[in-house]
Amino acid sequence: MQLRIFSVYPADRLWSFWLDRQVDERQVANLDPETFQQSDWYDESGRFLVLVHFSNLLKDEHKERAAAIEKHWRDLDDGVRERVWWLVYSGTGYWDLVSTIPGVHYFRNPVSREWLSDDEKRHFRQFVSALEADEQIGATIWAKLYPTENVAAATLLALLTSSELTDIQPAINKLLAERRMESLARAHRQFAARVKQSPKTPPTLDFWVAALGEGNYSTVRDQLVEVLGAVPD
Amino acid sequence: MLPVLNTPGDSPEDSSRRAGLCLEDWSNEVAPRLDAALAMLPDCLLPGLLLRGWLDDKAVERIDTVTLNTVVGENLLLRNVATEIRGSAEGARSALGKYSSSPSNASRSQAFSKVMTLRIILQQSPKNVVLP
């Protein structure tokens, strides 16, 4: 699916670099609803992502302004509305504003002018890739911008990275026995990306991704056994 | 706040009004959130948060101690993150107070610099549990 990305008012973030994609920068005065908030901005086919920085014109306490923005999205023509997403961000992040509609999102984390963490870049790129895919987009698309709150995976990851500091085997065994495998598979993927050294040859990231992509949990598990020792069934 | 701090007032009255707004914004919006976040640091970033119940207390303590010595920014150890933020926040609060009590271009510029420094430290601080 063709996706066009705009960065508007003021276009002062490194979106093109961060997203690794073409981003068209547009200057838009104030909260002028005659611009990207009108259907005629989107007369081409395909999908549109608009990255909007309202600066101090839209802060957490500006509930009415947010409601007006959301109304403009709702007022887009049929056939346009479902192809358009407005991601509103700021230098401090939106703590309180929560959108009431699927096409507008107020990004919680701060976005600085010059810098975005690798982790955040990865999430933004995953989000954009999802918009480029042919699948229908649901309201949960925005969740791709944030890390998954997967406590089991994070716990396994923390255990694995503690292996040089303490005996993690009993805890690993207990965790593998108690937690669901997809959570653990995600942890393996994260772990693989972080492996720096191992007493044995560490599995490569490509290996983990390929194995997990096939849903071949037992292969991943066998590799884990090789790295860490015996793991119970 | 930063755009306001980065713009000179048109007149002494305007400067005074801007300074008052910034101090009010700091007291009502920034400081309470900062206090709440600092109260949780660095504990909310330590892996012990996840590992308690899976490893014994001594092991968790050892892992947390190693993690506290992890470099998380330029010349910044995890154990010093809260102290750095507190120091920077105090600098920003003090500079905003001076700007409010005697508004001038110099005090405004100083306040801008201090608040910007605080923002940079906050943006560069870890947002998730730090693994050893």
Side-chain angles (χ1 to χ4, degrees):
Chain A
M1 178 74 73
Q2 184 189 341
L3 174 71
R4 188 156 182 205
I5 307 175
F6 290 114
S7 169
V8 300
Y9 182 76
D12 62 353
R13 259 59 171 185
L14 307 173
W15 286 114
S16 184
F17 170 64
W18 293 339
L19 298 178
D20 195 23
R21 279 169 179 76
Q22 182 181 337
V23 175
D24 298 324
E25 302 202 343
R26 298 284 178 89
Q27 294 292 331
V28 172
N30 302 328
L31 286 170
D32 185 357
E34 297 301 316
T35 56
F36 72 92
Q37 302 185 54
Q38 295 291 312
S39 290
D40 56 12
W41 251 58
Y42 311 104
D43 53 357
E44 301 164 32
S45 59
R47 291 171 174 162
F48 292 83
L49 170 65
V50 187
L51 304 160
V52 192
H53 180 222
F54 282 124
S55 189
N56 56 346
L57 292 172
L58 184 71
K59 300 181 78 176
D60 262 336
E61 64 270 28
H62 293 152
K63 309 283 192 242
E64 288 182 6
R65 289 182 190 175
I69 292 164
E70 290 169 28
K71 181 177 183 308
H72 285 130
W73 185 86
R74 276 198 304 271
D75 289 345
L76 292 173
D77 294 345
D78 291 343
V80 171
R81 197 166 43 244
E82 62 268 23
R83 298 188 288 116
V84 171
W85 290 265
W86 296 342
L87 174 58
V88 184
Y89 65 92
S90 77
T92 50
Y94 289 103
W95 293 48
D96 298 327
L97 273 186
V98 178
S99 173
T100 58
I101 54 173
V104 178
H105 181 73
Y106 308 101
F107 188 58
R108 288 201 296 271
N109 300 335
V111 178
S112 94
R113 279 191 171 78
E114 301 89 13
W115 185 81
L116 199 67
S117 72
D118 289 343
D119 193 43
E120 287 169 314
K121 269 184 245 173
R122 193 171 66 248
H123 280 96
F124 270 104
R125 287 174 188 179
Q126 284 170 355
F127 168 75
V128 168
S129 294
L131 287 179
E132 287 172 332
D134 287 335
E135 282 79 28
Q136 198 166 355
I137 304 295
T140 56
I141 181 73
W142 304 109
K144 290 192 180 295
L145 292 170
Y146 304 97
T148 310
E149 291 175 3
N150 187 333
V151 177
T155 303
L156 178 58
L157 193 58
L159 276 172
L160 291 167
T161 54
S162 304
S163 60
E164 289 181 10
L165 298 167
T166 190
D167 176 18
I168 61 169
Q169 198 64 60
I172 288 277
N173 291 348
K174 193 177 165 198
L175 195 72
L176 287 173
E178 289 184 12
R179 299 298 174 99
R180 295 165 59 209
M181 67 171 66
E182 57 265 40
S183 299
L184 301 177
R186 197 172 299 127
H188 297 166
R189 192 158 54 228
Q190 294 176 45
F191 175 60
R194 293 184 68 102
V195 167
K196 290 176 185 162
Q197 54 185 15
S198 168
K200 297 182 181 178
T201 306
T204 64
L205 179 60
D206 285 345
F207 170 82
W208 291 116
V209 170
L212 290 162
E214 295 161 6
N216 191 349
Y217 179 73
S218 62
T219 308
V220 175
R221 185 178 169 284
D222 290 345
Q223 285 293 314
L224 187 66
V225 170
E226 194 177 310
V227 174
L228 297 171
V231 177
D233 288 328
Chain B
M1 184 194 301
L2 280 166
V4 176
L5 281 176
N6 202 22
T7 311
D10 294 333
S11 63
E13 293 74 27
D14 188 37
S15 291
S16 178
R17 186 183 64 82
R18 284 168 179 274
L21 280 175
C22 288
L23 192 60
E24 192 180 307
D25 208 25
W26 173 270
S27 304
N28 296 337
E29 301 291 334
V30 181
R33 290 170 174 176
L34 209 49
D35 288 344
L38 284 170
M40 293 188 283
L41 287 176
D43 294 350
C44 67
L45 297 173
L46 293 176
L49 197 71
L50 299 164
L51 299 178
R52 273 181 216 112
W54 301 99
L55 297 172
D56 64 52
D57 291 347
K58 201 177 273 184
V60 170
E61 194 180 323
R62 188 177 332 133
I63 292 162
D64 281 350
T65 302
V66 170
T67 309
L68 283 168
N69 292 323
T70 304
V71 176
V72 292
E74 202 175 335
N75 300 320
L76 183 62
L77 298 181
L78 179 61
R79 68 168 65 249
N80 297 331
V81 164
T83 308
E84 288 289 320
I85 294 174
R86 272 194 198 93
S88 183
E90 178 49 33
R93 189 201 59 74
S94 171
L96 284 167
K98 281 180 190 160
Y99 175 42
S100 178
S101 59
S102 43
S104 68
N105 248 340
S107 61
R108 178 188 58 75
S109 176
Q110 177 72 357
F112 174 79
S113 164
K114 295 287 184 185
V115 174
M116 183 60 101
T117 301
L118 172 62
R119 191 176 83 157
I120 289 169
I121 289 178
L122 286 172
Q123 284 176 330
Q124 291 182 346
S125 299
K127 297 180 180 68
N128 302 313
V129 166
V130 175
L131 299 180

